[in-house]
Amino acid sequence: MNPTDVKLPDYRTQVPAVAARFQKLKQRPVVLEVERLGRQFAASDGGVITALKDINFQVHRREFLTVIGPSGCGKSTLIRLVAGLDHPTSGRMLLDGQEVRGPGPDRGMVFQGYTLFPWLTVTENIMFGLKLRGHSESKARREALQWVDLVGLTRCKDQYPVQLSGGMKQRAAIARALANGPRILLMDEPFGALDAQTRAQMQAHLMEIWRNVDVTILFITHDLDEAILLADRILVLKPHPGEVQELIEVPVSRPREVGRFHCPEFLATRQHLDDLIHPPVSVEADPLPIVRLTAVGDDVE
């Protein structure tokens, strides 16, 4: 049967095991609390541009929360605010009850671009933050090698970033961020620059790491399938300005794999997200000008 022929249930339909998992999730301590968060920027005409408006949500311990929304809705602005790399215009963020006022070791950050130091090996990159925290050379190396093993880079531990593939670089970046023991790992479209096959591998690696490490993950993505595959819940933002449109509990049971892309719960959630992100428009698009760049008579069907 073609997946598109499946009669989709309501996306909220959950098997009992999934409903029980969310009950347990809600009983865990709140790690991150975002209250009435807003961010405005000065416009060139003297006005203001509102990137985020009245954002409210909570993230529980060991939860995997993905954030999606149309281009320009403020996803990256949100994660930069949580990281302490930017400051809100209004509202506040509480991490373990303490207000976020700047960067700190309680938050690890993984960007889409490869941010490894090119002059350091994989192991030395992971050691960098540990040494800043006061670890001795030998202790930092021991701990770094444990993280190298966890992310499956043992054979590459003495290689430099230029010698690594894109997926390997991101695994090393994840290990470096986790080595400092953050309460929450912030990931801004970390797999966006990878090819489809490597991206699928990295998604599997990340889920395996998350299962084995006591860390909460806030993950920005524009890929709806990726959001459903990874998340416990999905925060959907509206565009211009970014506001919370919906907070969705993903009804797909774990463990998840690519084969789950075609189960009814996945497809129903995917359709619902697509309706939110890409609502039907009534205004017709302007017709494109037709410019003939081939010889007359060279038509194609």
Side-chain angles (χ1 to χ4, degrees), residues 25 27 29 38 77 79 86 100 104 158 161 166 175 182 194 199 202 205 213 239 243 248 251 258 268-269 276 285:
L25 172 65
Q27 294 171 4
T77 299
I79 205 167
D86 193 5
V100 173
D158 296 322
L194 303 177
R199 185 173 191 147
M202 284 303 303
H205 283 309
V213 178
E243 298 180 81
I248 294 173
V258 174
T269 308
L276 292 176

Side-chain angles (χ1 to χ4, degrees), residues 55-75:
I55 303 293
N56 296 275
F57 67 93
Q58 295 179 336
V59 188
H60 294 265
R61 177 175 172 264
R62 297 217 66 214
E63 181 177 3
F64 201 128
L65 181 75
T66 58
V67 181
I68 65 170
S71 179
C73 70
K75 298 187 294 294

Side-chain angles (χ1 to χ4, degrees), residues 60-279:
H60 294 265
R61 177 175 172 264
R62 297 217 66 214
E63 181 177 3
F64 201 128
L65 181 75
T66 58
V67 181
I68 65 170
S71 179
C73 70
K75 298 187 294 294
S76 292
T77 299
L78 173 61
I79 205 167
R80 286 178 58 83
L81 290 171
V82 177
L85 301 175
D86 193 5
H87 300 286
T89 308
S90 60
R92 63 177 186 166
M93 300 158 290
L94 302 176
L95 187 63
D96 288 329
Q98 300 296 314
E99 187 168 356
V100 173
R101 297 186 181 277
D106 49 9
R107 281 147 290 151
M109 186 78 177
V110 179
F111 299 90
Q112 179 176 339
Y114 308 130
T115 56
L116 299 176
F117 299 124
W119 59 89
L120 299 179
T121 66
V122 168
T123 303
E124 291 168 343
N125 264 282
I126 299 171
M127 291 171 58
F128 185 84
L130 297 171
K131 292 170 70 175
L132 284 180
R133 293 171 56 196
H135 287 36
S136 66
E137 179 81 16
S138 58
K139 183 178 180 182
R141 184 170 294 276
R142 284 196 305 272
E143 291 194 21
L145 289 175
Q146 293 176 351
W147 288 103
V148 167
D149 291 340
L150 181 68
V151 298
L153 291 177
T154 303
R155 291 186 299 175
C156 308
K157 66 180 186 295
D158 296 322
Q159 293 184 356
Y160 291 90
V162 71
Q163 298 172 287
L164 305 177
S165 68
M168 290 176 178
K169 290 176 183 176
Q170 285 300 57
R171 275 190 273 168
I174 292 170
R176 185 177 65 179
L178 290 174
N180 289 318
R183 290 287 287 158
I184 186 167
L185 181 63
L186 308 172
M187 311 186 77
D188 188 5
E189 300 200 38
F191 309 147
L194 303 177
D195 63 84
Q197 182 177 359
T198 304
R199 185 173 191 147
Q201 292 172 346
M202 284 303 303
Q203 291 164 350
H205 283 309
L206 180 59
M207 283 191 285
E208 186 63 25
I209 292 168
W210 174 63
R211 280 194 288 265
N212 289 285
V213 178
D214 183 6
V215 69
T216 302
I217 298 180
L218 180 64
F219 189 104
I220 304 295
T221 182
H222 64 274
D223 187 300
L224 303 187
D225 288 337
E226 181 173 71
I228 302 169
L229 178 68
L230 297 176
D232 291 311
R233 295 187 299 163
I234 302 172
L235 181 71
V236 185
L237 296 181
K238 299 178 183 178
H240 313 304
E243 298 180 81
V244 175
Q245 184 169 12
E246 193 166 338
L247 187 57
I248 294 173
E249 295 180 349
V250 177
V252 184
S253 60
R254 294 189 186 272
R256 297 179 192 153
E257 51 196 22
V258 174
R260 299 305 298 267
F261 281 9
H262 300 312
C263 73
E265 297 85 4
F266 196 108
L267 291 172
T269 308
R270 177 68 164 78
Q271 183 62 59
H272 181 70
L273 291 178
D274 199 47
D275 291 342
L276 292 176
I277 303 297
H278 307 113

Side-chain angles (χ1 to χ4, degrees), residues 38-59:
R39 181 66 171 102
Q40 294 181 328
F41 297 92
S44 58
D45 61 1
V48 295
I49 299 173
T50 302
L52 294 172
K53 179 182 177 182
D54 199 26
I55 303 293
N56 296 275
F57 67 93
Q58 295 179 336
V59 188

